[in-house]
Structures are given as structure tokens and as C-alpha cells.
Amino acid sequence: MLPTDTALVLFSGGQDSTTCLAWALKNYARVETIGFDYGQRHAVELTVRPQLLQSLRAQSAEWNDKLGEDHMIDLSLISAISQTAMTQDIAIETQANGLPNTFVPGRNLLFMTVAATVAYRRGLTVLVGGMCETDFSGYPDCRDDTMKALQVALNLGMDTRIKLETPLMWRDKKQTWELAEELGGQALVDLIRSGTHTCYLGERGALHDWGYGCGTCPACDLRARGYRQYVGAEV
Ligand code: ZN
């Protein structure tokens, strides 16, 4: 990894992408962020994004210097062309093909492709995403091979040498909390705990030890279990 490399982080305001952003700020000379508005049922993630960026700037003068522009992209076409529990008011369940209906087909492929186009324009050389195969929610576009194939396709299609980095690919949720501690100490863990949003239902009422959320949806369940393993509590 070259210190002169510059990165564009797919930043949604969730636990994973916030950890990825801290990771990029540690490893690259210049870091920009990109977020997507695709008609999410609950836009909570989008409202916590700017607060998180501000808090990360406040946590470290070095991070403040490195952190550049934030790009917010309208991808509302996703809700027009797909039918999923992420964009429509339907119950979360498993579909006949074994995938949960929170899966938005091709979403990460589209996100990475749009990010690559922005990176091309901004002269950024690395794309960072929170895709993870370890706590695999059944999303085939989070696979390591999917990302590697996409990197090849993007570089062939745009005649570039853009690198796709997925620092969480082989970490479980417990290890993601550990990575946050390694990158920014207790202050970053606390910021991620109370400042990020993961819950599928958009619930943000009570602050649990692992953060805000309904506590029962698949995203909350994963997050809560990982946090309890991280602090060494009973799971
Ligand atoms: Zn939830």
C-alpha cells in the first residue's frame, strides 16, 4: 500500500462502513466518501452520515486533514427497478432461492461501479467497501470473488488501475469492533456504538450497549451478538 494512494470509501453511516472509513484514514493520504440515496425505507443512515463525518474530524487532527469531499449520489432508480424489503414496506423474510428479501439484486455491483466513475473523475486510486463474507448474510454481491471479478471488469472497462479494498471481508462482527478499537481506541468504539446505524427497521429509540436499533431484526441481532462477544459478555 502506497502512502500516496488516495481512497474513496463507500460510506453509508453503518458500523461496517464507518470502521472502513477509519481504516482508510489510517492508511491513505487522502480520503473521500460516497453515499447513496436509493429510496431506503428508513433514511436514518443518511441523517447520521454528516454527524459521523464531523465526529471523525473532531477525533483526530490527522484524520481531519486527510478527509476530503463527501459525494452523495441519488440512486433512486434502484427502488424503481427492484422489489425488496429494503426499499418497500414489506416484511423481512427468506425467499424461495434462499436469499433474504433484504437483498437488493446487484446493489453492491452498482455502488462500486458508480464509485469507480466518481474515483476516475476525482483521481482516486482505491475504492474501499465494507463487504464481508464471514458474517455472510447470504448476499452474493458481498463475496470476495464478486469484488475481485468486479475490480477486473472495472479496470478493463475504464482502462484504469483502481484497487478494490474490503478490509472487513474475513472479519466477523466481533473482529470488526476490535478493528475499530485498534484504529481509534475507545473514542472510536463509542462513536460507532452510539453514532452509527445498522437496524433494518430504522428503529432509533433506546441506546443499547451495542448501539441503537430494534434488537430483533437480522442486522441488530448480528451487531448485538458481535458487540457482546467483543466485550466478553454472555451471548
Ligand atoms: Zn433492528
Side-chain angles (χ1 to χ4, degrees), residues 16-80:
D16 292 348
S17 69
T18 304
T19 308
C20 283
L21 177 52
W23 179 85
L25 287 166
K26 195 93 174 180
N27 286 295
Y28 299 106
R30 182 161 64 96
V31 177
E32 298 189 6
T33 46
I34 186 167
F36 304 102
D37 185 349
Y38 58 98
Q40 294 95 318
R41 261 213 289 181
H42 308 286
V44 184
E45 280 195 354
L46 302 182
T47 59
V48 301
R49 281 179 90 259
Q51 295 161 10
L52 282 165
L53 288 173
Q54 213 173 15
S55 303
L56 284 168
R57 285 184 186 281
Q59 287 203 353
S60 155
E62 191 194 339
W63 289 2
N64 185 40
D65 287 344
K66 287 180 172 184
L67 193 55
E69 209 170 304
D70 179 37
H71 310 270
M72 209 46 216
I73 310 289
D74 178 4
L75 284 184
S76 50
L77 71 97
I78 288 186
S79 55

Short mmCIF file of all heavy atoms in Angstrom, two decimals, residues 16-80:
data_model
loop_
_atom_site.label_atom_id
_atom_site.label_comp_id
_atom_site.label_asym_id
_atom_site.label_seq_id
_atom_site.Cartn_x
_atom_site.Cartn_y
_atom_site.Cartn_z
N ASP A 16 -20.14 -1.00 9.77
CA ASP A 16 -19.08 -1.51 8.89
C ASP A 16 -18.41 -0.41 8.08
O ASP A 16 -17.19 -0.32 8.02
CB ASP A 16 -19.66 -2.58 7.95
CG ASP A 16 -20.07 -3.84 8.69
OD1 ASP A 16 -19.70 -3.98 9.88
OD2 ASP A 16 -20.75 -4.68 8.09
N SER A 17 -19.21 0.43 7.46
CA SER A 17 -18.61 1.44 6.59
C SER A 17 -17.89 2.52 7.40
O SER A 17 -16.93 3.12 6.93
CB SER A 17 -19.64 2.04 5.64
OG SER A 17 -20.58 2.83 6.32
N THR A 18 -18.33 2.77 8.64
CA THR A 18 -17.62 3.74 9.49
C THR A 18 -16.26 3.17 9.89
O THR A 18 -15.26 3.89 9.91
CB THR A 18 -18.47 4.08 10.73
OG1 THR A 18 -19.76 4.55 10.29
CG2 THR A 18 -17.81 5.17 11.57
N THR A 19 -16.22 1.88 10.20
CA THR A 19 -14.94 1.23 10.51
C THR A 19 -14.02 1.27 9.29
O THR A 19 -12.83 1.54 9.40
CB THR A 19 -15.18 -0.23 10.97
OG1 THR A 19 -16.15 -0.23 12.01
CG2 THR A 19 -13.90 -0.87 11.47
N CYS A 20 -14.61 1.03 8.11
CA CYS A 20 -13.82 1.09 6.87
C CYS A 20 -13.26 2.50 6.65
O CYS A 20 -12.14 2.66 6.16
CB CYS A 20 -14.68 0.71 5.67
SG CYS A 20 -14.96 -1.04 5.53
N LEU A 21 -14.05 3.50 6.98
CA LEU A 21 -13.60 4.88 6.79
C LEU A 21 -12.41 5.17 7.71
O LEU A 21 -11.41 5.76 7.28
CB LEU A 21 -14.76 5.85 7.06
CG LEU A 21 -14.45 7.34 6.98
CD1 LEU A 21 -13.77 7.71 5.67
CD2 LEU A 21 -15.74 8.16 7.14
N ALA A 22 -12.49 4.74 8.96
CA ALA A 22 -11.37 4.92 9.88
C ALA A 22 -10.13 4.18 9.38
O ALA A 22 -9.01 4.68 9.44
CB ALA A 22 -11.76 4.43 11.28
N TRP A 23 -10.36 2.98 8.86
CA TRP A 23 -9.25 2.18 8.30
C TRP A 23 -8.58 2.93 7.15
O TRP A 23 -7.35 2.99 7.05
CB TRP A 23 -9.81 0.83 7.82
CG TRP A 23 -8.81 -0.09 7.20
CD1 TRP A 23 -7.99 -0.96 7.85
CD2 TRP A 23 -8.52 -0.22 5.80
NE1 TRP A 23 -7.21 -1.63 6.94
CE2 TRP A 23 -7.51 -1.20 5.69
CE3 TRP A 23 -9.01 0.38 4.65
CZ2 TRP A 23 -6.98 -1.59 4.46
CZ3 TRP A 23 -8.48 0.00 3.41
CH2 TRP A 23 -7.48 -0.98 3.32
N ALA A 24 -9.39 3.52 6.28
CA ALA A 24 -8.84 4.27 5.13
C ALA A 24 -8.09 5.51 5.60
O ALA A 24 -7.03 5.85 5.07
CB ALA A 24 -9.98 4.65 4.18
N LEU A 25 -8.63 6.18 6.62
CA LEU A 25 -7.98 7.39 7.14
C LEU A 25 -6.62 7.05 7.75
O LEU A 25 -5.70 7.86 7.75
CB LEU A 25 -8.88 8.07 8.18
CG LEU A 25 -10.10 8.79 7.59
CD1 LEU A 25 -11.10 9.14 8.67
CD2 LEU A 25 -9.68 10.05 6.84
N LYS A 26 -6.50 5.85 8.26
CA LYS A 26 -5.22 5.41 8.83
C LYS A 26 -4.22 5.09 7.71
O LYS A 26 -3.02 5.29 7.87
CB LYS A 26 -5.50 4.13 9.65
CG LYS A 26 -4.40 3.74 10.58
CD LYS A 26 -4.66 4.35 11.94
CE LYS A 26 -3.67 3.87 12.98
NZ LYS A 26 -3.93 4.48 14.29
N ASN A 27 -4.73 4.58 6.59
CA ASN A 27 -3.85 4.00 5.58
C ASN A 27 -3.57 4.84 4.35
O ASN A 27 -2.66 4.53 3.59
CB ASN A 27 -4.41 2.65 5.13
CG ASN A 27 -4.21 1.58 6.19
OD1 ASN A 27 -3.09 1.21 6.51
ND2 ASN A 27 -5.31 1.11 6.77
N TYR A 28 -4.37 5.87 4.11
CA TYR A 28 -4.20 6.61 2.86
C TYR A 28 -3.98 8.10 3.10
O TYR A 28 -4.37 8.65 4.14
CB TYR A 28 -5.41 6.41 1.94
CG TYR A 28 -5.60 4.96 1.57
CD1 TYR A 28 -6.62 4.21 2.13
CD2 TYR A 28 -4.74 4.35 0.66
CE1 TYR A 28 -6.78 2.87 1.81
CE2 TYR A 28 -4.88 3.01 0.34
CZ TYR A 28 -5.90 2.28 0.92
OH TYR A 28 -6.05 0.97 0.60
N ALA A 29 -3.38 8.72 2.10
CA ALA A 29 -3.00 10.13 2.21
C ALA A 29 -4.22 11.05 2.11
O ALA A 29 -4.29 12.09 2.75
CB ALA A 29 -2.00 10.48 1.12
N ARG A 30 -5.17 10.64 1.25
CA ARG A 30 -6.36 11.47 1.07
C ARG A 30 -7.56 10.53 0.97
O ARG A 30 -7.48 9.50 0.29
CB ARG A 30 -6.23 12.31 -0.21
CG ARG A 30 -7.42 13.24 -0.46
CD ARG A 30 -7.03 14.36 -1.43
NE ARG A 30 -6.68 13.87 -2.76
CZ ARG A 30 -7.51 13.81 -3.79
NH1 ARG A 30 -8.75 14.21 -3.66
NH2 ARG A 30 -7.12 13.35 -4.96
N VAL A 31 -8.64 10.89 1.62
CA VAL A 31 -9.81 10.02 1.65
C VAL A 31 -11.07 10.84 1.38
O VAL A 31 -11.31 11.86 2.02
CB VAL A 31 -9.95 9.33 3.03
CG1 VAL A 31 -11.21 8.48 3.09
CG2 VAL A 31 -8.72 8.47 3.35
N GLU A 32 -11.84 10.39 0.39
CA GLU A 32 -13.15 11.00 0.15
C GLU A 32 -14.21 9.94 0.42
O GLU A 32 -13.92 8.76 0.50
CB GLU A 32 -13.23 11.53 -1.29
CG GLU A 32 -12.18 12.62 -1.54
CD GLU A 32 -12.34 13.34 -2.88
OE1 GLU A 32 -13.33 13.10 -3.59
OE2 GLU A 32 -11.46 14.16 -3.19
N THR A 33 -15.44 10.38 0.58
CA THR A 33 -16.52 9.44 0.90
C THR A 33 -17.64 9.56 -0.13
O THR A 33 -17.83 10.61 -0.74
CB THR A 33 -17.10 9.74 2.30
OG1 THR A 33 -17.31 11.14 2.42
CG2 THR A 33 -16.16 9.29 3.39
N ILE A 34 -18.37 8.45 -0.29
CA ILE A 34 -19.51 8.45 -1.21
C ILE A 34 -20.68 7.74 -0.53
O ILE A 34 -20.49 6.72 0.15
CB ILE A 34 -19.13 7.80 -2.56
CG1 ILE A 34 -20.26 7.93 -3.58
CG2 ILE A 34 -18.70 6.34 -2.40
CD1 ILE A 34 -19.83 7.61 -5.01
N GLY A 35 -21.85 8.31 -0.67
CA GLY A 35 -23.04 7.69 -0.10
C GLY A 35 -24.14 7.65 -1.16
O GLY A 35 -24.13 8.44 -2.10
N PHE A 36 -25.06 6.70 -0.98
CA PHE A 36 -26.11 6.53 -1.98
C PHE A 36 -27.50 6.64 -1.36
O PHE A 36 -27.79 5.99 -0.37
CB PHE A 36 -25.96 5.16 -2.66
CG PHE A 36 -24.61 4.95 -3.27
CD1 PHE A 36 -23.65 4.17 -2.63
CD2 PHE A 36 -24.27 5.56 -4.47
CE1 PHE A 36 -22.39 3.99 -3.18
CE2 PHE A 36 -23.02 5.39 -5.03
CZ PHE A 36 -22.08 4.61 -4.38
N ASP A 37 -28.29 7.45 -1.97
CA ASP A 37 -29.70 7.54 -1.59
C ASP A 37 -30.48 6.74 -2.62
O ASP A 37 -30.56 7.12 -3.78
CB ASP A 37 -30.13 9.01 -1.59
CG ASP A 37 -31.55 9.19 -1.09
OD1 ASP A 37 -32.25 8.17 -0.94
OD2 ASP A 37 -31.94 10.34 -0.84
N TYR A 38 -30.98 5.57 -2.18
CA TYR A 38 -31.67 4.71 -3.16
C TYR A 38 -33.09 4.39 -2.70
O TYR A 38 -33.65 3.35 -3.00
CB TYR A 38 -30.87 3.43 -3.43
CG TYR A 38 -30.58 2.56 -2.23
CD1 TYR A 38 -31.35 1.45 -1.94
CD2 TYR A 38 -29.50 2.85 -1.41
CE1 TYR A 38 -31.07 0.65 -0.84
CE2 TYR A 38 -29.22 2.06 -0.31
CZ TYR A 38 -30.01 0.96 -0.03
OH TYR A 38 -29.72 0.17 1.06
N GLY A 39 -33.67 5.36 -1.97
CA GLY A 39 -35.05 5.17 -1.54
C GLY A 39 -35.14 4.15 -0.43
O GLY A 39 -36.10 3.41 -0.33
N GLN A 40 -34.10 4.09 0.43
CA GLN A 40 -34.14 3.21 1.60
C GLN A 40 -35.42 3.49 2.36
O GLN A 40 -35.83 4.63 2.49
CB GLN A 40 -32.95 3.47 2.54
CG GLN A 40 -31.59 3.14 1.98
CD GLN A 40 -30.90 4.35 1.38
OE1 GLN A 40 -31.54 5.12 0.70
NE2 GLN A 40 -29.61 4.48 1.60
N ARG A 41 -36.02 2.42 2.88
CA ARG A 41 -37.25 2.58 3.63
C ARG A 41 -37.07 3.56 4.78
O ARG A 41 -37.92 4.35 5.11
CB ARG A 41 -37.64 1.22 4.22
CG ARG A 41 -38.68 0.51 3.41
CD ARG A 41 -39.56 -0.29 4.32
NE ARG A 41 -38.84 -1.44 4.87
CZ ARG A 41 -39.40 -2.32 5.69
NH1 ARG A 41 -40.66 -2.17 6.03
NH2 ARG A 41 -38.73 -3.33 6.15
N HIS A 42 -35.90 3.45 5.42
CA HIS A 42 -35.62 4.31 6.56
C HIS A 42 -34.35 5.06 6.26
O HIS A 42 -33.30 4.47 6.06
CB HIS A 42 -35.47 3.48 7.83
CG HIS A 42 -36.63 2.57 8.03
ND1 HIS A 42 -37.86 3.02 8.44
CD2 HIS A 42 -36.77 1.26 7.80
CE1 HIS A 42 -38.69 2.00 8.50
NE2 HIS A 42 -38.06 0.92 8.11
N ALA A 43 -34.45 6.35 6.17
CA ALA A 43 -33.29 7.16 5.76
C ALA A 43 -32.41 7.56 6.94
O ALA A 43 -31.60 8.46 6.84
CB ALA A 43 -33.78 8.38 5.00
N VAL A 44 -32.56 6.82 8.08
CA VAL A 44 -31.78 7.17 9.27
C VAL A 44 -30.30 7.20 8.98
O VAL A 44 -29.57 8.11 9.38
CB VAL A 44 -32.04 6.15 10.41
CG1 VAL A 44 -31.33 6.56 11.68
CG2 VAL A 44 -33.52 6.03 10.66
N GLU A 45 -29.83 6.16 8.24
CA GLU A 45 -28.41 6.08 7.90
C GLU A 45 -27.94 7.37 7.24
O GLU A 45 -26.84 7.84 7.49
CB GLU A 45 -28.15 4.91 6.94
CG GLU A 45 -28.09 3.57 7.63
CD GLU A 45 -27.49 2.49 6.73
OE1 GLU A 45 -27.24 2.78 5.54
OE2 GLU A 45 -27.26 1.38 7.21
N LEU A 46 -28.79 7.92 6.40
CA LEU A 46 -28.37 9.12 5.67
C LEU A 46 -28.30 10.34 6.57
O LEU A 46 -27.49 11.23 6.33
CB LEU A 46 -29.33 9.38 4.50
CG LEU A 46 -29.45 8.24 3.48
CD1 LEU A 46 -30.38 8.63 2.34
CD2 LEU A 46 -28.07 7.88 2.92
N THR A 47 -29.11 10.35 7.62
CA THR A 47 -29.06 11.51 8.52
C THR A 47 -27.89 11.41 9.50
O THR A 47 -27.38 12.43 9.94
CB THR A 47 -30.38 11.70 9.30
OG1 THR A 47 -30.63 10.53 10.06
CG2 THR A 47 -31.55 11.96 8.39
N VAL A 48 -27.45 10.18 9.82
CA VAL A 48 -26.32 10.07 10.75
C VAL A 48 -24.98 10.29 10.04
O VAL A 48 -23.99 10.62 10.68
CB VAL A 48 -26.27 8.71 11.52
CG1 VAL A 48 -27.54 8.52 12.33
CG2 VAL A 48 -26.02 7.55 10.61
N ARG A 49 -24.96 10.17 8.73
CA ARG A 49 -23.70 10.30 7.96
C ARG A 49 -22.94 11.61 8.24
O ARG A 49 -21.77 11.57 8.62
CB ARG A 49 -23.96 10.20 6.46
CG ARG A 49 -24.16 8.82 5.94
CD ARG A 49 -24.43 8.86 4.45
NE ARG A 49 -23.23 8.79 3.65
CZ ARG A 49 -22.63 9.80 3.07
NH1 ARG A 49 -23.11 11.02 3.19
NH2 ARG A 49 -21.55 9.62 2.36
N PRO A 50 -23.59 12.77 8.03
CA PRO A 50 -22.83 14.02 8.24
C PRO A 50 -22.37 14.21 9.68
O PRO A 50 -21.28 14.74 9.92
CB PRO A 50 -23.84 15.12 7.85
CG PRO A 50 -25.16 14.48 7.71
CD PRO A 50 -24.94 13.02 7.51
N GLN A 51 -23.17 13.71 10.64
CA GLN A 51 -22.76 13.81 12.05
C GLN A 51 -21.51 12.96 12.31
O GLN A 51 -20.59 13.37 13.03
CB GLN A 51 -23.89 13.34 12.97
CG GLN A 51 -25.14 14.22 12.90
CD GLN A 51 -26.39 13.52 13.41
OE1 GLN A 51 -26.31 12.44 13.99
NE2 GLN A 51 -27.55 14.11 13.18
N LEU A 52 -21.50 11.77 11.71
CA LEU A 52 -20.34 10.89 11.89
C LEU A 52 -19.09 11.50 11.29
O LEU A 52 -18.00 11.45 11.88
CB LEU A 52 -20.63 9.53 11.23
CG LEU A 52 -21.52 8.58 12.02
CD1 LEU A 52 -22.02 7.45 11.13
CD2 LEU A 52 -20.76 8.00 13.20
N LEU A 53 -19.24 12.09 10.10
CA LEU A 53 -18.07 12.71 9.45
C LEU A 53 -17.50 13.81 10.33
O LEU A 53 -16.29 13.93 10.51
CB LEU A 53 -18.47 13.25 8.07
CG LEU A 53 -18.74 12.20 6.99
CD1 LEU A 53 -19.29 12.85 5.72
CD2 LEU A 53 -17.48 11.41 6.67
N GLN A 54 -18.40 14.58 10.89
CA GLN A 54 -17.99 15.68 11.77
C GLN A 54 -17.28 15.14 13.02
O GLN A 54 -16.23 15.66 13.43
CB GLN A 54 -19.23 16.46 12.18
CG GLN A 54 -18.96 17.92 12.38
CD GLN A 54 -20.26 18.69 12.62
OE1 GLN A 54 -21.31 18.10 12.91
NE2 GLN A 54 -20.20 20.00 12.50
N SER A 55 -17.84 14.08 13.60
CA SER A 55 -17.24 13.50 14.81
C SER A 55 -15.87 12.89 14.51
O SER A 55 -14.96 12.98 15.33
CB SER A 55 -18.15 12.42 15.39
OG SER A 55 -19.41 12.96 15.67
N LEU A 56 -15.73 12.26 13.35
CA LEU A 56 -14.44 11.67 12.99
C LEU A 56 -13.39 12.76 12.83
O LEU A 56 -12.24 12.61 13.24
CB LEU A 56 -14.56 10.86 11.69
CG LEU A 56 -15.25 9.50 11.83
CD1 LEU A 56 -15.57 8.92 10.47
CD2 LEU A 56 -14.36 8.52 12.60
N ARG A 57 -13.79 13.88 12.25
CA ARG A 57 -12.87 15.02 12.11
C ARG A 57 -12.43 15.51 13.48
O ARG A 57 -11.27 15.86 13.69
CB ARG A 57 -13.57 16.17 11.37
CG ARG A 57 -13.72 15.97 9.88
CD ARG A 57 -14.33 17.22 9.24
NE ARG A 57 -14.62 17.03 7.83
CZ ARG A 57 -13.69 17.10 6.87
NH1 ARG A 57 -12.43 17.36 7.19
NH2 ARG A 57 -14.02 16.92 5.61
N ALA A 58 -13.38 15.50 14.42
CA ALA A 58 -13.08 16.02 15.77
C ALA A 58 -12.17 15.07 16.54
O ALA A 58 -11.45 15.50 17.44
CB ALA A 58 -14.38 16.24 16.53
N GLN A 59 -12.19 13.78 16.18
CA GLN A 59 -11.40 12.81 16.94
C GLN A 59 -9.91 12.86 16.65
O GLN A 59 -9.09 12.42 17.45
CB GLN A 59 -11.93 11.39 16.68
CG GLN A 59 -13.24 11.14 17.37
CD GLN A 59 -13.53 9.67 17.62
OE1 GLN A 59 -12.81 8.79 17.18
NE2 GLN A 59 -14.60 9.40 18.34
N SER A 60 -9.54 13.34 15.45
CA SER A 60 -8.12 13.32 15.10
C SER A 60 -7.81 14.44 14.12
O SER A 60 -8.47 14.57 13.08
CB SER A 60 -7.77 11.96 14.48
OG SER A 60 -6.65 12.05 13.65
N ALA A 61 -6.78 15.22 14.44
CA ALA A 61 -6.38 16.32 13.55
C ALA A 61 -5.87 15.75 12.22
O ALA A 61 -6.10 16.31 11.16
CB ALA A 61 -5.30 17.15 14.22
N GLU A 62 -5.20 14.60 12.31
CA GLU A 62 -4.67 13.96 11.10
C GLU A 62 -5.83 13.51 10.19
O GLU A 62 -5.80 13.70 8.99
CB GLU A 62 -3.81 12.77 11.51
CG GLU A 62 -3.00 12.19 10.36
CD GLU A 62 -2.43 10.81 10.70
OE1 GLU A 62 -2.31 10.49 11.90
OE2 GLU A 62 -2.11 10.08 9.75
N TRP A 63 -6.84 12.89 10.80
CA TRP A 63 -7.99 12.46 10.03
C TRP A 63 -8.70 13.67 9.41
O TRP A 63 -9.16 13.63 8.27
CB TRP A 63 -8.97 11.67 10.91
CG TRP A 63 -8.44 10.32 11.30
CD1 TRP A 63 -7.23 9.79 10.96
CD2 TRP A 63 -9.12 9.32 12.08
NE1 TRP A 63 -7.10 8.54 11.50
CE2 TRP A 63 -8.23 8.22 12.18
CE3 TRP A 63 -10.36 9.26 12.70
CZ2 TRP A 63 -8.57 7.06 12.88
CZ3 TRP A 63 -10.70 8.11 13.40
CH2 TRP A 63 -9.82 7.02 13.49
N ASN A 64 -8.78 14.73 10.18
CA ASN A 64 -9.43 15.95 9.69
C ASN A 64 -8.72 16.47 8.44
O ASN A 64 -9.35 16.89 7.47
CB ASN A 64 -9.43 17.00 10.80
CG ASN A 64 -10.19 18.25 10.40
OD1 ASN A 64 -11.24 18.15 9.76
ND2 ASN A 64 -9.66 19.40 10.74
N ASP A 65 -7.37 16.41 8.46
CA ASP A 65 -6.60 16.87 7.31
C ASP A 65 -6.81 15.98 6.09
O ASP A 65 -6.85 16.45 4.96
CB ASP A 65 -5.09 16.88 7.64
CG ASP A 65 -4.74 18.02 8.59
OD1 ASP A 65 -5.57 18.94 8.73
OD2 ASP A 65 -3.65 17.96 9.20
N LYS A 66 -6.89 14.68 6.33
CA LYS A 66 -6.98 13.73 5.22
C LYS A 66 -8.36 13.66 4.58
O LYS A 66 -8.51 13.33 3.41
CB LYS A 66 -6.61 12.32 5.72
CG LYS A 66 -5.14 12.11 6.02
CD LYS A 66 -4.94 10.68 6.50
CE LYS A 66 -3.47 10.34 6.62
NZ LYS A 66 -3.29 8.91 7.01
N LEU A 67 -9.37 13.91 5.40
CA LEU A 67 -10.75 13.72 4.95
C LEU A 67 -11.17 14.83 3.99
O LEU A 67 -11.14 16.01 4.32
CB LEU A 67 -11.68 13.66 6.17
CG LEU A 67 -13.10 13.16 5.95
CD1 LEU A 67 -13.12 11.78 5.30
CD2 LEU A 67 -13.84 13.10 7.28
N GLY A 68 -11.54 14.40 2.78
CA GLY A 68 -11.94 15.36 1.76
C GLY A 68 -13.43 15.36 1.51
O GLY A 68 -14.23 15.10 2.42
N GLU A 69 -13.77 15.58 0.28
CA GLU A 69 -15.16 15.78 -0.13
C GLU A 69 -16.06 14.54 0.12
O GLU A 69 -15.60 13.41 0.01
CB GLU A 69 -15.16 16.10 -1.62
CG GLU A 69 -16.31 16.97 -2.07
CD GLU A 69 -16.10 17.43 -3.52
OE1 GLU A 69 -15.07 18.04 -3.80
OE2 GLU A 69 -16.98 17.16 -4.33
N ASP A 70 -17.31 14.81 0.44
CA ASP A 70 -18.31 13.74 0.56
C ASP A 70 -19.25 13.85 -0.65
O ASP A 70 -19.76 14.91 -0.95
CB ASP A 70 -19.10 13.91 1.87
CG ASP A 70 -20.16 12.85 2.04
OD1 ASP A 70 -19.91 11.68 1.66
OD2 ASP A 70 -21.26 13.17 2.56
N HIS A 71 -19.43 12.73 -1.34
CA HIS A 71 -20.28 12.73 -2.53
C HIS A 71 -21.57 11.97 -2.23
O HIS A 71 -21.53 10.80 -1.88
CB HIS A 71 -19.55 12.03 -3.70
CG HIS A 71 -18.17 12.54 -3.93
ND1 HIS A 71 -17.89 13.59 -4.77
CD2 HIS A 71 -16.97 12.16 -3.40
CE1 HIS A 71 -16.58 13.82 -4.76
NE2 HIS A 71 -16.00 12.97 -3.94
N MET A 72 -22.69 12.64 -2.35
CA MET A 72 -23.98 11.99 -2.13
C MET A 72 -24.63 11.78 -3.49
O MET A 72 -24.85 12.72 -4.24
CB MET A 72 -24.81 12.94 -1.25
CG MET A 72 -25.81 12.30 -0.37
SD MET A 72 -25.25 10.87 0.54
CE MET A 72 -26.75 9.94 0.46
N ILE A 73 -24.94 10.51 -3.81
CA ILE A 73 -25.43 10.20 -5.15
C ILE A 73 -26.88 9.67 -5.07
O ILE A 73 -27.18 8.78 -4.28
CB ILE A 73 -24.55 9.11 -5.82
CG1 ILE A 73 -23.06 9.49 -5.74
CG2 ILE A 73 -24.99 8.86 -7.25
CD1 ILE A 73 -22.62 10.63 -6.61
N ASP A 74 -27.70 10.20 -5.91
CA ASP A 74 -29.10 9.76 -5.98
C ASP A 74 -29.21 8.50 -6.84
O ASP A 74 -28.98 8.55 -8.05
CB ASP A 74 -29.95 10.89 -6.58
CG ASP A 74 -31.41 10.49 -6.72
OD1 ASP A 74 -31.77 9.37 -6.30
OD2 ASP A 74 -32.18 11.29 -7.27
N LEU A 75 -29.51 7.38 -6.18
CA LEU A 75 -29.70 6.14 -6.94
C LEU A 75 -31.12 5.62 -6.73
O LEU A 75 -31.35 4.43 -6.55
CB LEU A 75 -28.68 5.08 -6.51
CG LEU A 75 -27.25 5.25 -7.03
CD1 LEU A 75 -26.38 4.07 -6.59
CD2 LEU A 75 -27.21 5.35 -8.56
N SER A 76 -32.05 6.55 -6.75
CA SER A 76 -33.45 6.18 -6.51
C SER A 76 -33.98 5.22 -7.58
O SER A 76 -35.00 4.58 -7.38
CB SER A 76 -34.32 7.43 -6.45
OG SER A 76 -34.08 8.26 -7.56
N LEU A 77 -33.25 5.09 -8.67
CA LEU A 77 -33.69 4.15 -9.70
C LEU A 77 -33.74 2.73 -9.17
O LEU A 77 -34.48 1.90 -9.69
CB LEU A 77 -32.79 4.25 -10.94
CG LEU A 77 -31.35 3.71 -10.85
CD1 LEU A 77 -31.27 2.30 -11.41
CD2 LEU A 77 -30.39 4.61 -11.60
N ILE A 78 -32.95 2.44 -8.10
CA ILE A 78 -32.95 1.08 -7.53
C ILE A 78 -34.34 0.69 -7.06
O ILE A 78 -34.81 -0.42 -7.33
CB ILE A 78 -31.93 0.97 -6.37
CG1 ILE A 78 -30.52 0.99 -6.93
CG2 ILE A 78 -32.16 -0.31 -5.56
CD1 ILE A 78 -29.43 0.75 -5.91
N SER A 79 -35.03 1.62 -6.37
CA SER A 79 -36.36 1.25 -5.89
C SER A 79 -37.37 1.17 -7.04
O SER A 79 -38.40 0.51 -6.93
CB SER A 79 -36.84 2.23 -4.82
OG SER A 79 -36.80 3.54 -5.29
N ALA A 80 -37.04 1.82 -8.15
CA ALA A 80 -37.93 1.74 -9.30
C ALA A 80 -37.79 0.41 -10.04
O ALA A 80 -38.73 -0.07 -10.65
CB ALA A 80 -37.65 2.90 -10.25
#
